């Protein structure tokens, strides 16, 4: 009989076929998540024209989806720590795929807004759980990079939305790009079969056989028998996971993460919704304006991958603070115009420093908290952040309605970047981090296998 330390087995594992499968499924899910989020910004100029909407009304329509995301992030983030992340991932994929698909059949703004709210419930719940599940099974030395690669899927989907809009909308109308969002529904049976359940949930529910089957894939060189005992989580769990976010000196860090998420998502959703329209106001055609949306997402991908490597070397906090600040500078400069090359460059920097920073901060949060409240931590931070996300489209619509100089519109979106940088600078070092050798692992008090 041996004692099995799941935390160490996973943390010291080598990247293999199991990790690649989880990475690819996570990447696919987040890509459709990003597609479904950005698709509204792609069609909003056409909706304004077809349905005779004002900028404020269009901004409100965009916020309905974000309103749903706020509830979805909190509800499904907390629920996953109770019923398992795999089950919640499947539920949320059904929600955001089905109701985004139905948006393509909406006949009125009210029907469209209702579908966007219901899709938002799934969109808000999917990312915290995918990132938490990926973090649960990633090797310690690669967690930042793997999470960041998956979060780039958001930007891949964000690029596909305007790209397909340019290709499909002239021939098939704005409805056609919503129909694409239903494709994940066809993959649900395979997805459910191949996604693993998180180890902490399997331990808590006593599913030893299923856990050992997964650990054999995580670490093919390890062997397990039915008589082996599993080391329980060292942390003290609570029936109310939200309470754990404020225990063991985590209150300040939790509040600062919430402020950073709020500020960054205000910028992200404000820009995703209104960047094409802002660029049209500045004199660019619709297709050119959609090109800026592609540049925004491309910058996010490049920035995420580069900064993720630097985070593994220097630490996430040290890299995130200058990222937020550079985003504020880039957005401010955008308002003053320049050559096409300069504008595209500034948009790409803004993408890296807003969407890219949001990707990195989620990887940071997923490792900051212990496994038993990881989904709750990400879900609550994302839920609070969605309030900022809701304000982003509303703020953009209001600014356009009062016809302010274009410079002030961009400065308004730059200010939250400064606030996010200040908030993150106040986050204390992780209290539970214990250096045992060259690598920090959550303390469990035993070796991998103790006979």
């Amino acid at each position: 009989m041996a004692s099995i330390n799941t935390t160490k087995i996973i943390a010291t594992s080598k990247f293999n076929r199991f990790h690649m499968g989880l990475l690819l499924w996570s990447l696919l899910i987040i890509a459709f998540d990003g597609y479904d989020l950005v698709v509204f910004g792609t069609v909003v100029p056409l909706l304004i024209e077809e349905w005779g909407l004002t900028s404020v009304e269009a901004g409100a329509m965009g916020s309905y989806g974000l309103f749903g995301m706020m509830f979805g992030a909190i509800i499904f983030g907390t629920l996953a720590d109770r019923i398992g992340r795999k089950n919640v991932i499947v539920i949320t994929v059904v929600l955001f795929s089905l109701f985004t698909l139905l948006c393509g059949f909406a006949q009125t703004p009210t029907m469209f807004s209702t579908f966007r709210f219901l899709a938002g419930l799934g969109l808000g719940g999917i990312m915290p759980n995918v990132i938490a599940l990926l973090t649960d099974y990633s090797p310690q030395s690669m967690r930042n990079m793997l999470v960041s690669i998956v979060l780039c899927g958001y930007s891949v989907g964000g690029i596909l939305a305007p790209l397909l809009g340019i290709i499909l909308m002239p021939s098939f109308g704005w409805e056609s790009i919503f129909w694409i969002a239903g494709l994940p529904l066809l993959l649900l049976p395979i997805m459910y079969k191949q996604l693993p359940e998180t180890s902490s949930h399997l331990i808590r529910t006593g599913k030893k056989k299923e856990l050992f089957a997964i650990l054999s894939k995580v670490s093919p060189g390890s062997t397990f028998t039915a008589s082996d005992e599993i080391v329980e989580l060292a942390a003290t769990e609570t029936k109310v996971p939200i309470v754990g976010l404020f225990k063991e000196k985590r209150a300040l860090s939790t509040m600062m993460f919430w402020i950073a998420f709020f500020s960054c998502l205000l910028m992200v959703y404000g820009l995703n919704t209104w960047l094409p329209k802002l660029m049209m106001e500045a004199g660019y055609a619709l297709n050119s304006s959609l090109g800026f949306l592609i540049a925004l997402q491309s910058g996010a991908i490049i920035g995420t991958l580069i900064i993720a490597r630097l985070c593994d070397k220097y630490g996430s906090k040290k890299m995130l603070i200058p990222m937020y600040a550079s985003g504020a500078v880039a957005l401010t400069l955008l308002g003053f115009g320049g050559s096409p090359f300069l504008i595209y460059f500034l948009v790409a920097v803004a993408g890296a420093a807003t969407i890219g920073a949001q990707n990195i901060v989620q990887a940071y949060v997923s490792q900051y908290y212990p496994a038993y409240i990881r989904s709750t931590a990400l879900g609550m931070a994302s839920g609070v952040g969605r309030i900022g996300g809701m304000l982003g489209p509303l703020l953009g619509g209001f600014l356009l309605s009062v016809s302010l100089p274009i410079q002030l519109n961009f400065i308004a979106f730059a200010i939250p970047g400064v606030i996010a940088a200040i908030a993150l600078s106040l986050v204390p070092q992780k209290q539970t981090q214990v250096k045992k050798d060259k690598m920090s692992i959550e303390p469990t008090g035993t070796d991998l296998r103790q006979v």
Side-chain angles (χ1 to χ4, degrees):
M1 183 179 71
S3 295
I4 307 301
N5 186 318
T6 58
T7 301
K8 270 195 173 182
I9 289 175
I10 294 169
T12 58
S13 64
K14 303 297 182 183
F15 187 83
N16 58 37
R17 184 177 178 180
F18 169 84
H19 299 104
M20 177 60 75
L22 180 57
L23 178 70
L24 292 177
W25 274 115
S26 301
L27 186 62
L28 178 68
I29 293 168
I30 296 302
F32 274 98
D33 175 47
Y35 180 92
D36 290 9
L37 283 172
V38 177
V39 71
F40 179 72
T42 303
V43 304
V44 69
L46 297 179
L47 293 180
I48 289 174
E49 182 179 349
E50 181 171 328
W51 286 340
L53 304 172
T54 65
S55 296
V56 173
E57 289 171 337
M61 284 177 61
S63 292
Y64 281 116
L66 300 173
F67 191 57
M69 290 176 71
M70 177 186 70
F71 287 105
I74 295 172
I75 294 170
F76 289 115
T78 305
L79 186 64
D81 284 324
R82 303 299 299 273
I83 70 169
R85 286 164 197 156
K86 177 179 177 178
N87 292 328
V88 168
I89 286 172
V90 171
I91 293 169
T92 52
V93 168
V94 171
L95 281 172
F96 77 70
S97 298
L98 176 61
F99 288 105
T100 303
L101 168 68
L102 291 177
C103 283
F105 297 95
Q107 300 296 315
T108 65
T110 301
M111 184 183 298
F112 184 93
S113 298
T114 301
F115 289 151
R116 285 298 286 175
F117 172 80
L118 295 171
L121 293 174
L123 290 170
I126 191 65
M127 189 174 289
N129 286 293
V130 167
I131 298 311
L133 182 62
L134 184 65
T135 301
D136 288 340
Y137 283 112
S138 295
Q140 177 80 18
S141 60
M142 300 181 65
R143 282 178 183 166
N144 267 328
M145 179 51 65
L146 294 181
V147 170
S148 298
I149 289 172
V150 165
L151 287 171
C152 284
Y154 170 86
S155 296
V156 171
I159 290 172
L160 283 175
L163 188 61
L164 289 176
I166 292 171
I167 297 170
L168 297 178
M169 285 195 301
S171 300
F172 303 101
W174 60 265
E175 296 91 346
S176 59
I177 59 173
F178 285 97
W179 301 338
I180 302 294
L183 291 177
L185 295 173
L186 303 176
L187 301 174
L188 278 176
I190 304 173
M191 184 189 303
Y192 188 78
K193 182 178 180 181
Q194 295 190 359
L195 281 179
E197 184 52 85
T198 183
S199 60
S200 59
H201 180 73
L202 294 175
I203 292 172
R204 187 165 57 246
T205 53
K207 297 180 179 179
K208 181 190 289 189
K209 184 177 179 180
E210 185 178 345
L211 174 63
F212 285 172
I214 294 173
L215 291 179
S216 296
K217 297 176 183 178
V218 173
S219 180
S222 301
T223 57
F224 308 96
T225 64
S227 61
D228 289 341
E229 292 185 355
I230 301 169
V231 176
E232 295 289 344
L233 296 173
T236 302
E237 298 192 24
T238 172
K239 293 183 178 180
V240 185
I242 295 174
V243 175
L245 304 182
F246 297 90
K247 296 175 66 175
E248 300 178 15
K249 300 180 180 180
R250 298 190 194 105
L252 176 61
S253 55
T254 294
M255 296 303 298
M256 292 304 103
F257 280 133
W258 289 2
I259 292 173
F261 269 62
F262 177 95
S263 302
C264 192
L265 287 176
L266 189 153
M267 294 190 293
V268 168
Y269 292 117
L271 289 174
N272 275 328
T273 301
W274 290 113
L275 184 62
K277 185 66 175 177
L278 286 171
M279 289 306 185
M280 289 174 69
E281 291 290 322
Y284 295 92
L286 175 60
N287 280 0
S288 296
S289 298
L290 292 178
F292 288 120
L293 204 55
I294 293 172
L296 185 79
Q297 301 295 341
S298 299
I301 293 174
I302 296 170
T304 298
L305 294 177
I306 292 175
I307 300 300
R309 290 298 298 269
L310 296 175
C311 286
D312 283 329
K313 186 175 182 179
Y314 300 108
S316 298
K317 180 178 175 178
K318 290 181 180 178
M319 301 309 303
L320 280 165
I321 295 171
M323 277 188 78
Y324 286 131
S326 64
V329 173
L331 286 171
T332 300
L333 294 177
L334 265 177
F336 294 93
S339 67
F341 173 80
L342 176 61
I343 295 299
Y344 273 103
F345 174 75
L346 290 174
V347 169
V349 171
T354 56
I355 301 169
Q358 183 61 22
N359 291 342
I360 298 295
V361 78
Q362 291 194 79
Y364 183 25
V365 170
S366 73
Q367 297 177 63
Y368 192 91
Y369 293 88
Y372 74 98
I373 54 170
R374 187 167 287 146
S375 285
T376 299
L378 280 167
M380 287 299 301
S382 296
V384 173
R386 301 305 174 191
I387 300 174
M390 286 187 291
L391 291 177
L394 290 172
L395 175 63
F398 171 75
L399 292 173
L400 286 170
S401 70
V402 296
S403 302
L404 292 174
I406 193 71
Q407 294 91 340
L408 293 181
N409 291 333
F410 282 103
I411 289 173
F413 283 116
I415 292 173
V418 178
I419 297 173
I422 294 172
L424 208 64
S425 69
L426 298 176
V427 173
Q429 291 297 320
K430 184 178 176 182
Q431 295 295 322
T432 59
Q433 199 168 32
V434 179
K435 293 183 179 179
K436 294 188 176 181
D437 37 40
K438 292 183 179 180
M439 184 170 57
S440 176
I441 302 175
E442 288 176 349
T444 53
T446 65
D447 294 328
L448 299 184
R449 289 175 58 87
Q450 294 181 340
V451 181

Coordinates of all heavy atoms in Angstrom, one line a residue, residues 172-229:
F172 N -24.7 36.6 -47.4 CA -25.6 35.9 -46.6 C -26.2 36.7 -45.5 O -27.1 36.2 -44.7 CB -25.0 34.6 -46.1 CG -24.4 33.7 -47.1 CD1 -23.1 33.7 -47.4 CD2 -25.3 32.9 -47.9 CE1 -22.6 32.9 -48.4 CE2 -24.8 32.1 -48.8 CZ -23.4 32.0 -49.1
G173 N -25.8 38.0 -45.3 CA -26.4 38.8 -44.3 C -25.7 38.6 -42.9 O -24.9 37.6 -42.7
W174 N -25.9 39.5 -42.0 CA -25.3 39.4 -40.7 C -25.7 38.2 -39.9 O -24.9 37.7 -39.0 CB -25.6 40.7 -39.8 CG -27.1 40.9 -39.5 CD1 -28.0 41.6 -40.2 CD2 -27.9 40.3 -38.5 NE1 -29.2 41.6 -39.7 CE2 -29.2 40.8 -38.6 CE3 -27.6 39.4 -37.4 CZ2 -30.2 40.4 -37.7 CZ3 -28.6 39.0 -36.6 CH2 -29.9 39.5 -36.7
E175 N -26.8 37.6 -40.2 CA -27.3 36.4 -39.5 C -26.3 35.2 -39.6 O -26.2 34.4 -38.7 CB -28.7 36.0 -40.0 CG -29.8 37.0 -39.7 CD -29.9 38.0 -40.9 OE1 -29.0 38.0 -41.7 OE2 -31.0 38.7 -40.9
S176 N -25.7 35.1 -40.8 CA -24.9 33.9 -41.1 C -23.7 33.7 -40.1 O -23.4 32.6 -39.8 CB -24.3 34.0 -42.5 OG -23.5 35.2 -42.7
I177 N -23.1 34.8 -39.6 CA -22.0 34.5 -38.7 C -22.4 34.1 -37.3 O -21.6 33.6 -36.6 CB -21.1 35.8 -38.7 CG1 -21.8 37.0 -38.2 CG2 -20.5 36.1 -40.0 CD1 -20.8 38.2 -37.9
F178 N -23.7 34.3 -37.0 CA -24.2 33.7 -35.8 C -24.4 32.2 -35.9 O -24.3 31.4 -34.9 CB -25.5 34.4 -35.3 CG -25.2 35.8 -34.7 CD1 -25.4 36.9 -35.5 CD2 -24.8 35.9 -33.4 CE1 -25.2 38.2 -35.0 CE2 -24.6 37.2 -32.9 CZ -24.8 38.3 -33.7
W179 N -24.8 31.7 -37.1 CA -25.0 30.3 -37.3 C -23.8 29.5 -37.1 O -23.8 28.3 -36.6 CB -25.6 30.1 -38.7 CG -26.9 30.8 -39.0 CD1 -27.8 31.3 -38.0 CD2 -27.4 31.2 -40.2 NE1 -28.8 32.0 -38.6 CE2 -28.6 31.9 -40.0 CE3 -27.0 31.1 -41.5 CZ2 -29.4 32.4 -41.0 CZ3 -27.7 31.6 -42.6 CH2 -28.9 32.3 -42.3
I180 N -22.6 30.1 -37.4 CA -21.3 29.4 -37.2 C -21.1 29.0 -35.7 O -20.5 27.9 -35.4 CB -20.2 30.2 -37.7 CG1 -20.3 30.6 -39.1 CG2 -18.8 29.5 -37.4 CD1 -20.2 29.5 -40.1
A181 N -21.7 29.8 -34.8 CA -21.5 29.5 -33.4 C -22.1 28.2 -32.9 O -21.8 27.8 -31.8 CB -22.1 30.7 -32.6
G182 N -23.0 27.6 -33.7 CA -23.6 26.4 -33.2 C -22.8 25.1 -33.5 O -23.1 24.0 -33.0
L183 N -21.6 25.2 -34.1 CA -20.8 24.1 -34.4 C -20.3 23.3 -33.2 O -20.3 22.0 -33.2 CB -19.5 24.5 -35.2 CG -19.8 25.0 -36.6 CD1 -18.5 25.5 -37.3 CD2 -20.5 23.9 -37.5
P184 N -20.0 23.9 -32.0 CA -19.6 23.1 -30.9 C -20.6 22.1 -30.4 O -20.3 21.1 -29.8 CB -19.3 24.1 -29.8 CG -18.9 25.4 -30.5 CD -19.8 25.3 -31.8
L185 N -21.9 22.3 -30.7 CA -23.0 21.4 -30.3 C -22.8 20.0 -30.9 O -23.1 19.0 -30.3 CB -24.3 22.0 -30.7 CG -24.8 23.3 -30.0 CD1 -26.1 23.8 -30.6 CD2 -24.9 23.0 -28.5
L186 N -22.2 20.0 -32.1 CA -22.0 18.7 -32.8 C -20.8 17.9 -32.1 O -20.8 16.7 -32.3 CB -21.6 19.0 -34.2 CG -22.6 19.8 -35.1 CD1 -22.1 20.0 -36.5 CD2 -24.0 19.0 -35.1
L187 N -20.0 18.6 -31.4 CA -18.8 17.9 -30.8 C -19.0 17.5 -29.3 O -18.1 16.9 -28.7 CB -17.6 18.9 -30.9 CG -17.2 19.3 -32.3 CD1 -16.1 20.4 -32.2 CD2 -16.7 18.2 -33.1
L188 N -20.2 17.8 -28.8 CA -20.4 17.6 -27.3 C -20.2 16.1 -26.9 O -19.6 15.9 -25.9 CB -21.8 18.1 -27.0 CG -22.0 19.6 -26.7 CD1 -23.4 19.9 -26.4 CD2 -21.1 20.0 -25.5
P189 N -20.7 15.1 -27.6 CA -20.5 13.8 -27.1 C -19.0 13.4 -27.0 O -18.6 12.8 -26.0 CB -21.2 12.9 -28.2 CG -22.2 13.8 -28.8 CD -21.6 15.2 -28.8
I190 N -18.2 13.8 -28.0 CA -16.8 13.5 -28.0 C -16.1 14.3 -26.9 O -15.2 13.8 -26.1 CB -16.1 13.8 -29.3 CG1 -16.8 13.1 -30.5 CG2 -14.6 13.5 -29.3 CD1 -16.3 13.5 -31.8
M191 N -16.5 15.5 -26.7 CA -15.9 16.4 -25.7 C -16.2 15.8 -24.3 O -15.2 15.8 -23.5 CB -16.5 17.8 -25.8 CG -16.0 18.8 -24.8 SD -16.9 20.4 -24.9 CE -16.9 20.8 -26.6
Y192 N -17.4 15.4 -24.0 CA -17.7 14.9 -22.7 C -16.9 13.6 -22.4 O -16.5 13.3 -21.3 CB -19.2 14.6 -22.6 CG -19.7 14.2 -21.2 CD1 -19.8 15.2 -20.3 CD2 -19.9 12.9 -20.8 CE1 -20.2 14.9 -19.0 CE2 -20.3 12.6 -19.5 CZ -20.4 13.6 -18.6 OH -20.8 13.3 -17.3
K193 N -16.7 12.8 -23.4 CA -16.0 11.5 -23.2 C -14.5 11.8 -23.0 O -13.9 11.1 -22.1 CB -16.1 10.6 -24.5 CG -15.4 9.3 -24.3 CD -15.7 8.4 -25.6 CE -15.0 7.1 -25.4 NZ -15.2 6.2 -26.7
Q194 N -13.9 12.8 -23.6 CA -12.4 12.9 -23.5 C -12.0 13.9 -22.5 O -10.8 13.8 -22.0 CB -11.9 13.4 -24.9 CG -12.1 12.3 -26.0 CD -11.4 12.7 -27.3 OE1 -10.7 13.7 -27.4 NE2 -11.5 11.8 -28.2
L195 N -12.8 14.9 -22.0 CA -12.4 15.8 -21.0 C -12.3 15.1 -19.6 O -13.2 14.3 -19.3 CB -13.3 17.0 -20.9 CG -13.2 18.1 -21.9 CD1 -14.3 19.1 -21.6 CD2 -11.8 18.7 -21.9
P196 N -11.2 15.3 -18.9 CA -11.1 14.7 -17.5 C -11.8 15.5 -16.5 O -12.0 16.7 -16.7 CB -9.6 14.7 -17.3 CG -9.1 15.9 -18.0 CD -10.0 16.1 -19.2
E197 N -12.2 14.9 -15.4 CA -12.7 15.7 -14.3 C -11.5 16.1 -13.4 O -10.5 15.4 -13.4 CB -13.7 14.8 -13.5 CG -14.4 15.6 -12.3 CD -15.0 16.9 -12.7 OE1 -16.1 16.9 -13.2 OE2 -14.3 18.0 -12.6
T198 N -11.6 17.2 -12.7 CA -10.5 17.6 -11.9 C -10.2 16.7 -10.7 O -11.1 16.1 -10.2 CB -10.8 19.1 -11.3 OG1 -9.7 19.5 -10.6 CG2 -12.0 19.0 -10.4
S199 N -9.0 16.5 -10.4 CA -8.5 15.6 -9.4 C -9.1 15.9 -8.0 O -9.5 15.0 -7.3 CB -7.0 15.5 -9.3 OG -6.5 16.8 -8.9
S200 N -9.2 17.2 -7.6 CA -9.8 17.5 -6.3 C -11.2 17.1 -6.2 O -11.7 16.7 -5.1 CB -9.6 19.0 -6.1 OG -10.3 19.8 -7.1
H201 N -12.0 17.2 -7.3 CA -13.4 16.8 -7.2 C -13.5 15.2 -7.1 O -14.3 14.7 -6.4 CB -14.2 17.2 -8.4 CG -15.6 16.8 -8.5 ND1 -16.5 17.4 -7.7 CD2 -16.3 15.9 -9.2 CE1 -17.7 16.9 -7.9 NE2 -17.6 15.9 -8.8
L202 N -12.6 14.5 -7.8 CA -12.6 13.1 -7.8 C -12.2 12.6 -6.4 O -12.8 11.6 -5.9 CB -11.7 12.5 -8.9 CG -12.1 12.8 -10.3 CD1 -11.0 12.3 -11.3 CD2 -13.4 12.1 -10.6
I203 N -11.3 13.2 -5.8 CA -10.9 12.9 -4.4 C -12.1 13.1 -3.4 O -12.4 12.2 -2.6 CB -9.7 13.7 -4.0 CG1 -8.4 13.3 -4.8 CG2 -9.4 13.5 -2.5 CD1 -7.2 14.2 -4.5
R204 N -12.7 14.3 -3.6 CA -13.8 14.6 -2.7 C -15.0 13.7 -2.8 O -15.7 13.4 -1.8 CB -14.2 16.1 -2.9 CG -15.2 16.6 -1.9 CD -15.4 18.1 -2.0 NE -15.7 18.6 -3.4 CZ -14.9 19.3 -4.1 NH1 -13.7 19.6 -3.7 NH2 -15.3 19.7 -5.3
T205 N -15.2 13.2 -4.0 CA -16.4 12.3 -4.3 C -16.0 10.8 -4.2 O -16.9 9.9 -4.4 CB -17.0 12.6 -5.6 OG1 -16.0 12.5 -6.7 CG2 -17.6 14.0 -5.6
G206 N -14.8 10.5 -3.8 CA -14.4 9.1 -3.6 C -14.2 8.3 -4.9 O -14.3 7.1 -4.8
K207 N -14.0 8.9 -6.0 CA -13.9 8.2 -7.3 C -12.4 7.8 -7.6 O -11.8 8.4 -8.5 CB -14.5 9.0 -8.5 CG -16.0 9.3 -8.3 CD -16.5 10.1 -9.4 CE -18.1 10.3 -9.2 NZ -18.6 11.1 -10.3
K208 N -11.9 6.9 -6.8 CA -10.5 6.5 -6.8 C -10.1 5.9 -8.1 O -9.1 6.2 -8.7 CB -10.2 5.6 -5.7 CG -8.7 5.2 -5.6 CD -8.4 4.1 -4.6 CE -8.5 4.6 -3.2 NZ -8.1 3.5 -2.2
K209 N -10.9 5.0 -8.6 CA -10.6 4.3 -9.9 C -10.5 5.3 -11.1 O -9.6 5.2 -11.9 CB -11.7 3.3 -10.2 CG -11.4 2.4 -11.4 CD -12.5 1.4 -11.6 CE -12.2 0.5 -12.9 NZ -13.3 -0.5 -13.1
E210 N -11.4 6.2 -11.2 CA -11.4 7.2 -12.2 C -10.1 8.1 -12.1 O -9.5 8.5 -13.1 CB -12.6 8.0 -12.2 CG -12.7 9.0 -13.4 CD -14.1 9.8 -13.4 OE1 -15.0 9.4 -12.7 OE2 -14.1 10.8 -14.1
L211 N -9.8 8.5 -10.8 CA -8.7 9.3 -10.6 C -7.4 8.6 -11.0 O -6.5 9.2 -11.7 CB -8.6 9.7 -9.1 CG -7.4 10.5 -8.7 CD1 -7.3 11.8 -9.4 CD2 -7.4 10.7 -7.2
F212 N -7.2 7.4 -10.6 CA -6.0 6.6 -11.0 C -5.9 6.4 -12.5 O -4.8 6.4 -13.0 CB -6.0 5.2 -10.3 CG -5.7 5.3 -8.8 CD1 -5.8 4.2 -8.0 CD2 -5.3 6.5 -8.2 CE1 -5.5 4.3 -6.6 CE2 -5.0 6.6 -6.9 CZ -5.1 5.5 -6.1
A213 N -7.0 6.3 -13.2 CA -7.0 6.1 -14.6 C -6.4 7.4 -15.3 O -5.7 7.4 -16.2 CB -8.4 5.8 -15.2
I214 N -6.9 8.6 -14.7 CA -6.4 9.8 -15.2 C -4.9 10.1 -14.9 O -4.1 10.5 -15.7 CB -7.2 11.0 -14.7 CG1 -8.7 10.9 -15.2 CG2 -6.6 12.4 -15.1 CD1 -9.6 11.9 -14.6
L215 N -4.5 9.8 -13.6 CA -3.1 9.9 -13.2 C -2.2 9.0 -14.0 O -1.0 9.4 -14.3 CB -3.0 9.6 -11.7 CG -3.6 10.7 -10.8 CD1 -3.4 10.2 -9.3 CD2 -3.1 12.1 -11.0
S216 N -2.7 7.9 -14.5 CA -1.8 7.0 -15.3 C -1.5 7.6 -16.7 O -0.5 7.4 -17.3 CB -2.5 5.7 -15.5 OG -2.7 5.0 -14.3
K217 N -2.5 8.5 -17.1 CA -2.2 9.2 -18.4 C -1.3 10.4 -18.1 O -0.5 10.8 -19.0 CB -3.6 9.6 -19.0 CG -4.5 8.5 -19.4 CD -5.8 9.0 -19.9 CE -6.7 7.9 -20.2 NZ -8.1 8.4 -20.7
V218 N -1.5 11.1 -17.0 CA -0.7 12.3 -16.6 C 0.7 11.9 -16.5 O 1.6 12.5 -16.9 CB -1.3 12.9 -15.4 CG1 -0.3 14.0 -14.9 CG2 -2.6 13.5 -15.6
S219 N 1.0 10.7 -15.8 CA 2.3 10.3 -15.5 C 2.4 8.8 -15.9 O 2.2 7.9 -15.0 CB 2.6 10.5 -14.0 OG 3.9 10.0 -13.7
P220 N 2.6 8.5 -17.2 CA 2.6 7.1 -17.6 C 3.6 6.2 -16.9 O 3.4 5.0 -16.8 CB 3.0 7.2 -19.1 CG 2.6 8.6 -19.5 CD 2.9 9.4 -18.3
G221 N 4.6 6.7 -16.3 CA 5.6 5.9 -15.6 C 5.2 5.5 -14.2 O 5.8 4.6 -13.6
S222 N 4.1 6.0 -13.7 CA 3.6 5.7 -12.4 C 2.6 4.6 -12.4 O 1.9 4.4 -13.4 CB 3.0 6.9 -11.7 OG 3.9 8.0 -11.6
T223 N 2.6 3.7 -11.4 CA 1.6 2.6 -11.3 C 0.8 2.8 -10.0 O 1.3 3.3 -9.0 CB 2.3 1.3 -11.3 OG1 3.2 1.3 -10.2 CG2 3.1 1.0 -12.6
F224 N -0.5 2.4 -10.1 CA -1.4 2.6 -9.0 C -2.2 1.3 -8.7 O -2.5 0.6 -9.7 CB -2.4 3.7 -9.2 CG -1.7 5.0 -9.6 CD1 -1.5 5.3 -11.0 CD2 -1.1 5.9 -8.7 CE1 -0.9 6.5 -11.4 CE2 -0.5 7.0 -9.1 CZ -0.4 7.3 -10.4
T225 N -2.5 1.0 -7.5 CA -3.3 -0.2 -7.2 C -4.5 0.2 -6.3 O -4.5 1.3 -5.7 CB -2.5 -1.2 -6.3 OG1 -2.1 -0.6 -5.1 CG2 -1.2 -1.6 -7.1
A226 N -5.5 -0.6 -6.3 CA -6.7 -0.3 -5.5 C -6.5 -0.1 -4.1 O -7.3 0.6 -3.4 CB -7.7 -1.4 -5.7
S227 N -5.4 -0.6 -3.5 CA -5.1 -0.5 -2.1 C -4.4 0.8 -1.7 O -4.3 1.2 -0.6 CB -4.3 -1.7 -1.6 OG -3.1 -1.7 -2.2
D228 N -3.9 1.6 -2.8 CA -3.2 2.8 -2.5 C -4.2 3.8 -1.9 O -5.3 3.9 -2.2 CB -2.7 3.4 -3.8 CG -1.5 2.6 -4.3 OD1 -0.9 1.8 -3.6 OD2 -1.2 2.7 -5.5
E229 N -3.6 4.6 -1.0 CA -4.4 5.7 -0.3 C -4.0 7.0 -1.0 O -2.9 7.3 -1.3 CB -4.1 5.7 1.2 CG -4.6 4.5 1.9 CD -4.4 4.7 3.4 OE1 -3.7 5.7 3.8 OE2 -4.8 3.8 4.2

